[in-house]
């Protein structure tokens, strides 16, 4: 049975990395080979030239002695005289002796007639087949030319380069296999990271733990863990909102349904309709509190800015002063010097302060309620009603704990305040009675200065 063919898809990162490494390493390898060719060619020619110079100086006198033996005194031959053949013909030196009139006086027996077809001047010169070195006698008007075949140099260069390039070329396939294996091994940890991320779901938001991650991937893992933590927190907030809504809205919904059903059964009596409206108002109030609590717990939209606490307290107080029944009861006290500045979210702090004022107005009886801004960075709300006992004071911040027959609050107000204060890394201090008072209740939000 044939194995299923993997689906066609984008090229793997390991494949791209392997190809890129091979191209770059191959390019560098090629540049190195060209540099080696240039260097070897230079060194071989340099060595051959040195040898040619050395041979020319050593054989100049020998050639003059041979010329003296063959030349008759006072006679100038029309054709070049040929020196005797050298002992080792395969290593024979091609040379000739020329006078200043470019008459060839003596030529080695092995030298071709066209080997020295270059201008007569001291130094090196090339023709198609030979490299010639010419030296002039310091006292006599004679030149000595030595020729070296270029084929020997090319042959030496080719032998040297073949000895180097063939092994280096044979290593290239092995190098490609090594690069491919290295790329796959180094990227295996990335596949493991992808596998761990793939395992996470809405029910499994555990942090990713992969020991030995390189620095770049460790940063990716940290960011993924931070994202998973935020997702987990968002899910917790969503679950808490659902649980709170199920707990808080069940009673007012049942009451509204019962009142409306009673009103229908009694031909829409005014008292029954009013009771249904009160139940719906309670439902609206609790829904608003739940949304405030959910926003405070999520902390996703909380900003960090400089908040003028005097302006904040004034804005909250103004909302309540618009109600004629409350305006006479609520007072605002601010410091005489500079207004305290806190670091936080002005909307969230306004919600917290508004909840404290609502609680004070509701549970403080008909007495006076004071909002006070205190240095260095504190908001206080106090009433002078009956206050709470020490046992109630310890459980005030617990959600869904009833402390009064008035069922409008159900403890959500202080829970909202406590959550907002916690998100601001601030402190919520409760006291009953307030310092210096005989009765009542005080809540202080101690913020961090901006």
């Amino acid at each position: 049975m044939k194995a299923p063919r993997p689906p066609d898809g984008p090229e793997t990162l390991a494949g791209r990395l392997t190809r890129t490494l091979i191209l770059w390493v191959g390019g560098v390898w090629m540049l190195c080979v060209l540099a080696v060719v240039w260097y070897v060619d230079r060194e071989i020619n340099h060595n051959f030239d040195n040898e040619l110079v050395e041979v020319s100086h050593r054989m100049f006198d020998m050639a003059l002695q041979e010329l003296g033996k063959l030349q008759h005194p006072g006679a100038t031959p029309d054709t070049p005289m040929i020196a005797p053949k050298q002992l080792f013909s395969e290593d024979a030196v091609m040379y000739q002796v020329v006078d200043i009139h470019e008459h060839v006086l003596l030529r080695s027996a092995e030298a071709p007639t066209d080997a020295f077809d270059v201008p007569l001047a001291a130094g090196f010169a090339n023709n198609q087949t030979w490299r010639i070195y010419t030296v002039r006698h310091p006292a006599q008007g004679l030149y000595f030319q030595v020729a070296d075949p270029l084929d020997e140099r090319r042959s030496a260069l080719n032998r040297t380069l073949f000895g180097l390039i063939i092994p280096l070329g044979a290593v290239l396939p092995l190098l490609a296999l090594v690069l491919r294996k290295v790329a796959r091994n180094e990227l295996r940890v990335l596949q493991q990271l992808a596998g761990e991320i793939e395992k996470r779901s809405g029910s499994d938001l555990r942090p990713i733990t992969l020991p030995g991650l390189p620095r770049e991937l460790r940063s990716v893992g940290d960011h993924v863990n931070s994202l998973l933590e935020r997702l987990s927190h968002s899910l917790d907030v969503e679950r808490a909102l659902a649980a709170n809504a199920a707990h808080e809205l069940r009673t007012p919904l049942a009451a509204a349904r019962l009142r409306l059903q009673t009103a229908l059964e009694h031909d829409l009596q005014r008292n029954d309709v009013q009771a249904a409206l009160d139940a719906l108002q309670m439902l609206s109030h609790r829904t608003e509190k739940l949304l405030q609590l959910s926003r405070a717990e999520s902390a996703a939209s909380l900003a960090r800015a400089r908040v003028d606490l005097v302006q904040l307290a004034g804005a909250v107080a103004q909302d309540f002063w618009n109600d004629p029944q409350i305006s006479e009861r609520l007072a605002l006290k601010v410091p005489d010097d500079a207004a305290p500045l806190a670091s936080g979210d002005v909307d969230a702090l306004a919600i917290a302060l508004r909840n404290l004022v609502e609680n004070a107005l509701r549970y403080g009886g008909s007495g006076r309620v004071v909002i006070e801004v205190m240095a260095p960075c504190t908001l206080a709300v106090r009433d002078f009603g009956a206050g709470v006992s020490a046992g109630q004071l310890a459980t005030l911040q617990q959600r869904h704990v009833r402390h009064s027959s008035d069922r409008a609050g159900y403890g959500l107000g202080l829970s909202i305040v406590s959550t907002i204060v916690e998100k601001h890394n601030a402190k919520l201090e409760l006291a009953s009675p307030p310092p210096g008072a005989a009765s009542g209740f005080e809540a202080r939000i101690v913020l961090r200065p901006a």
Side-chain angles (χ1 to χ4, degrees):
M1 182 176 180
K2 295 179 65 176
R5 183 181 179 182
D8 294 336
E11 185 182 8
T12 63
L13 181 58
R16 293 178 58 184
L17 184 59
T18 301
R19 188 179 67 248
T20 302
L21 285 175
I22 290 175
L23 289 176
W24 276 99
V25 171
V28 173
W29 180 90
M30 184 59 69
L31 290 177
C32 292
V33 168
L34 293 176
V36 168
V37 170
W38 172 83
Y39 180 77
V40 170
D41 179 66
R42 176 178 174 274
E43 288 299 312
I44 288 178
N45 281 305
H46 179 72
N47 291 334
F48 271 84
D49 287 346
N50 285 341
E51 184 179 357
L52 198 60
V53 171
E54 182 180 351
V55 168
S56 65
H57 286 281
R58 189 175 65 245
M59 295 195 63
F60 201 173
D61 293 337
M62 297 172 61
L64 292 180
Q65 292 175 6
E66 193 67 30
L67 178 62
K69 293 178 183 177
L70 297 176
Q71 190 176 27
H72 298 287
T76 302
D78 296 332
T79 58
M81 291 180 289
I82 303 302
K85 289 189 176 181
Q86 299 172 43
L87 182 61
F88 302 99
S89 57
E90 63 274 11
D91 296 328
V93 178
M94 317 294 175
Y95 67 87
Q96 69 178 11
V97 178
V98 186
D99 62 11
I100 58 175
H101 304 294
E102 299 186 5
H103 291 149
V104 179
L105 304 179
L106 177 67
R107 179 178 297 157
S108 62
E110 297 81 2
T113 55
D114 57 348
F116 302 92
D117 187 17
V118 295
L120 186 62
F124 287 100
N126 287 359
N127 57 27
Q128 292 183 349
T129 309
W130 302 86
R131 181 166 178 80
I132 298 99
Y133 180 71
T134 304
V135 59
R136 180 172 182 176
H137 196 280
Q140 304 178 25
L142 297 175
Y143 290 91
F144 184 73
Q145 292 182 308
V146 181
D148 187 35
L150 292 176
D151 288 343
E152 289 187 4
R153 299 181 180 222
R154 297 192 188 99
S155 177
L157 177 63
N158 292 336
R159 287 196 304 272
T160 304
L161 291 180
F162 278 130
L164 289 174
I165 293 176
I166 289 178
L168 291 177
V171 168
L172 275 180
L174 178 61
L175 181 61
L177 292 176
V178 171
L179 291 176
R180 181 171 176 266
K181 185 174 181 57
V182 168
R184 290 191 171 186
N185 288 340
E186 292 299 321
L187 292 177
R188 187 170 300 165
V189 66
L190 187 60
Q191 295 176 349
Q192 294 174 353
L193 178 61
E196 287 294 324
I197 295 174
E198 188 178 6
K199 292 178 183 176
R200 298 301 181 267
S201 63
S203 58
D204 182 10
L205 295 175
R206 292 176 293 112
I208 294 172
T209 55
L210 282 178
L213 283 177
R215 183 181 304 171
E216 295 82 357
L217 292 184
R218 189 165 61 246
S219 175
V220 173
D222 292 342
H223 287 303
V224 171
N225 284 336
S226 177
L227 177 61
L228 290 175
E229 183 180 0
R230 292 197 296 273
L231 286 175
S232 178
H233 179 69
S234 298
L235 288 177
D236 291 341
V237 171
E238 183 180 346
R239 296 189 188 103
L241 176 62
N244 293 332
H247 183 275
E248 295 291 335
L249 301 183
R250 184 185 305 116
T251 301
L253 280 173
R257 187 173 60 253
L258 178 61
R259 293 296 184 181
L260 288 173
Q261 186 175 358
T262 303
L264 289 175
E265 291 174 353
H266 293 80
D267 296 331
L268 296 177
Q269 295 293 326
R270 180 179 180 82
N271 292 337
D272 293 331
V273 175
Q274 184 61 46
L277 289 176
D278 292 342
L280 290 175
Q281 185 178 1
M282 183 184 298
L283 177 63
S284 174
H285 179 78
R286 291 187 185 178
T287 302
E288 180 186 358
K289 295 300 179 186
L290 287 173
L291 293 176
Q292 290 179 358
L293 180 61
S294 177
R295 182 195 173 192
E297 288 181 335
S298 69
S301 58
L302 292 184
R304 286 291 182 272
R306 293 162 62 91
V307 180
D308 188 325
L309 296 186
V310 172
Q311 291 183 2
L312 172 66
V316 172
Q318 186 61 48
D319 291 341
F320 289 96
W321 285 338
N322 292 330
D323 186 347
Q325 297 180 354
I326 298 176
S327 60
E328 296 295 332
R329 295 180 55 196
L330 182 62
L332 175 63
K333 186 177 179 181
V334 298
D336 296 331
D337 49 0
L341 297 176
S343 173
D345 185 295
V346 63
D347 294 333
L349 292 176
I351 291 174
L353 186 58
R354 190 174 293 110
N355 275 280
L356 290 179
V357 175
E358 287 177 352
N359 284 344
L361 291 172
R362 180 176 303 116
Y363 300 115
S366 59
R368 192 163 52 92
V369 173
V370 177
I371 303 175
E372 183 174 2
V373 179
M374 296 183 290
C377 215
T378 300
L379 290 169
V381 177
R382 70 177 64 93
D383 67 74
F384 303 95
V388 297
S389 65
Q392 291 175 329
L393 189 64
T395 59
L396 274 180
Q397 298 183 48
Q398 295 180 7
R399 199 171 301 169
H400 310 312
V401 176
R402 302 179 184 179
H403 300 95
S404 170
S405 57
D406 183 357
R407 301 172 61 178
Y410 272 93
L412 279 179
L414 275 180
S415 295
I416 295 170
V417 175
S418 177
T419 304
I420 292 175
V421 168
E422 180 186 353
K423 299 302 181 185
H424 282 77
N425 296 322
K427 290 192 300 181
L428 177 62
E429 298 176 351
L430 305 179
S432 181
S439 64
F441 178 82
E442 180 184 88
R444 292 188 180 189
I445 300 176
V446 183
L447 296 162
R448 291 187 174 185

